[in-house]
């Protein structure tokens, strides 16, 4: 039997530039419990395919991991922003490429145990190279790989970023790369 938790009270305990944290007191089958929820506006991930078939990737330092990670281009949605707009904007800002064709592949909750973040993965084709428009706090290398090489890197455990794993494997299984 599924039991839906009723919120008794809720308070904002943190608000930052990327997310908020709200603490809920909820009613459960066994009494009351605390639930910390990360509120996030969501984002878009782009599987951007060049004319030569290679997929654009980013190498960037990720502070929570204290290491450089290889990942698909992605970005946070502005509040209320259509994810398709996010995808097109972020691809241009981060890689300098503008897509001619953008199609939705899949949407998912990456961490539904503690966050409402909802991510959207898009395939981007007919991409035209331009200049990046990074924020002052961004710095990354833009690289391109063959799809087979990316799948092999995932299977060897070299790519550990979940949005990248989902994006590459989904696009491969759907016959997009």
């Amino acid at each position: 039997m599924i039991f839906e938790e009723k919120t008794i009270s809720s308070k904002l305990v943190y608000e930052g530039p990327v997310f908020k944290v709200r603490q809920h007191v909820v009613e459960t089958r066994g009494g009351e419990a605390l639930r910390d929820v990360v509120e996030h506006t969501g984002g878009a991930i782009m599987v951007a395919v060049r004319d030569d078939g290679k997929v654009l990737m980013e190498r960037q330092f990720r502070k929570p991991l204290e290491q450089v990670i290889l990942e698909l281009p992605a970005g946070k949605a502005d509040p209320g922003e259509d994810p398709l707009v996010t995808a097109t904007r972020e691809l241009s800002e981060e890689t300098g490429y503008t897509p001619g064709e953008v199609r939705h592949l899949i949407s998912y909750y990456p961490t539904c145990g503690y966050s409402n973040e909802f991510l959207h993965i898009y395939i981007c084709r007919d991409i035209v190279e331009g200049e990046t428009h990074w924020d002052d706090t961004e710095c990354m290398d833009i690289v391109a790989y063959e799809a087979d090489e990316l799948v092999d890197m995932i299977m060897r455990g070299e790519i550990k970023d979940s949005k990248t794993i989902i994006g590459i494997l989904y696009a491969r299984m759907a016959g997009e790369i």
Side-chain angles (χ1 to χ4, degrees):
M1 177 175 113
I2 297 174
F3 179 83
E4 293 187 26
E5 297 177 347
K6 179 183 173 194
T7 301
I8 297 167
S9 65
S10 179
K11 67 178 178 181
L12 187 65
V13 295
Y14 172 79
E15 184 171 3
V18 177
F19 60 85
K20 298 175 186 177
V21 178
R22 188 171 301 277
Q23 187 173 73
H24 301 273
V25 177
V26 299
E27 179 183 311
T28 68
R29 288 186 331 125
E32 291 183 0
L34 292 178
R35 299 286 188 249
D36 293 333
V37 176
V38 175
E39 297 176 349
H40 192 282
T41 58
I45 299 102
M46 292 69 68
V47 181
V49 184
R50 296 190 322 198
D51 288 342
D52 64 3
K54 290 186 176 183
V55 178
L56 292 183
M57 301 290 289
E58 298 174 348
R59 265 197 223 106
Q60 62 181 315
F61 181 78
R62 292 299 195 177
K63 185 62 180 169
L65 307 176
E66 293 291 346
Q67 62 181 295
V68 174
I69 297 294
L70 183 65
E71 56 192 292
L72 286 169
K76 181 175 145 318
D78 291 335
E81 183 176 47
D82 182 312
L84 179 64
V85 172
T86 305
T88 303
R89 174 178 49 79
E90 287 290 336
L91 184 66
S92 176
E93 286 177 6
E94 291 192 356
T95 70
Y97 283 82
T98 303
E101 176 192 353
V102 182
R103 282 186 299 105
H104 179 261
L105 291 179
I106 189 173
S107 297
Y108 70 101
Y109 295 104
T111 51
C112 61
Y114 63 84
S115 178
N116 69 349
E117 182 179 26
F118 195 50
L119 298 178
H120 308 273
I121 301 178
Y122 292 88
I123 187 86
C124 302
R125 298 193 181 282
D126 302 323
I127 59 176
V128 178
E129 190 171 5
E131 294 192 21
T132 59
H133 308 282
W134 294 337
D135 295 336
D136 292 342
T137 60
E138 291 181 308
C139 184
M140 62 194 81
D141 292 325
I142 307 303
V143 293
Y145 288 87
E146 297 286 344
D148 287 342
E149 188 176 6
L150 291 170
V151 170
D152 289 345
M153 292 168 78
I154 290 168
M155 299 310 290
R156 289 192 306 264
E158 295 171 18
I159 294 177
K160 294 178 174 34
D161 174 61
S162 66
K163 69 185 177 304
T164 299
I165 293 169
I166 292 168
I168 295 298
L169 295 182
Y170 189 92
R172 172 48 63 93
M173 294 300 293
E176 295 287 350
I177 59 172

